[in-house]
Amino acid sequence: MDRLIIGEVLKPQGIRGELKIKTFTDFPEDVKAFGTVYIDDKPYKILSFRVGNDGAAYLGLRGIPDRNAAELFRGKKLEGEREDAPALEEGRYYIVDILGLTCVTKEGEELGVVTDVRNLSSDVYTIEKAGKSILFPAVKGVIVKVDLDEKKLIVNKSVFDEIAVY
């Protein structure tokens, strides 16, 4: 099965085994759509879900009965089945689909391979070529096209050169 990383356990919450989760989805509520999450390849059914005032998701999972059990999950990644993921709008992609794409200019110059995407005020992409890393924010005008069939991320070279950090 194909899985997406959808969050990370920050800490236990309360005494009943609830977990505070930092979500990697556009909206914390999207995690609830999965129904079952995987931690270390083990499935856990979502029994309760809420979003706190802090924007974090709070999950109660079957098999995690108390705070002591929940403590063992601190720092672990949550995964969900891709088929359970909410549909994305046109022009939106899952990070897992972007990783590994070859970054090229419109003219065909190969700049490197996407190795990381970090969500800051805008997504920051890391590409690597010949052992060197280049970072650039995905601001308006830099990414021309994401071509998943050809496994390419096509960028506007002039905008890229202005914002890339070598």
Side-chain angles (χ1 to χ4, degrees):
M1 283 290 191
D2 198 11
R3 292 196 192 130
L4 305 169
I5 296 174
I6 57 174
E8 179 179 349
V9 178
L10 296 175
K11 66 184 189 105
Q13 177 67 31
I15 62 171
R16 295 199 169 125
E18 193 174 47
L19 301 171
K20 181 176 182 179
I21 308 294
K22 175 185 176 188
T23 63
F24 299 153
T25 55
D26 285 342
F27 305 101
E29 297 82 10
D30 290 345
V31 170
K32 187 167 78 171
F34 287 89
T36 297
V37 295
Y38 294 80
I39 303 173
D40 292 337
D41 281 331
K42 185 175 178 192
Y44 293 90
K45 183 170 177 33
I46 297 174
L47 299 177
S48 65
F49 176 89
R50 65 186 173 90
V51 178
N53 294 335
D54 56 2
Y58 294 86
L59 296 178
L61 302 176
R62 176 171 285 139
I64 305 176
D66 58 33
R67 186 177 187 91
N68 289 341
E71 187 62 49
L72 301 173
F73 292 87
R74 188 185 290 260
K76 302 237 183 216
K77 299 283 192 259
L78 256 70
E79 296 180 324
E81 298 287 357
R82 178 185 286 272
E83 64 192 32
D84 295 335
L88 295 175
E89 309 170 10
E90 181 74 26
R92 306 276 309 195
Y93 303 91
Y94 286 108
I95 291 173
V96 71
D97 295 331
I98 300 295
L99 297 175
L101 294 183
T102 301
C103 185
V104 297
T105 64
K106 290 189 288 187
E107 297 74 32
E109 178 189 351
E110 189 174 314
L111 302 173
V113 174
V114 180
T115 59
D116 190 27
V117 178
R118 292 194 185 139
N119 188 279
L120 302 170
S121 55
S122 68
D123 287 343
V124 176
Y125 289 56
T126 302
I127 58 175
E128 291 192 12
K129 184 174 185 180
K132 295 191 175 170
S133 294
I134 304 167
L135 282 76
F136 69 95
V139 295
K140 187 173 179 145
V142 70
I143 297 175
V144 176
K145 181 179 180 187
V146 175
D147 188 339
L148 296 179
D149 294 331
E150 294 290 320
K151 299 204 179 308
K152 290 187 178 172
L153 178 74
I154 302 164
V155 296
N156 179 322
K157 177 91 165 116
S158 62
V159 177
F160 181 88
D161 285 343
E162 288 178 28
I163 61 172
V165 178
Y166 292 84

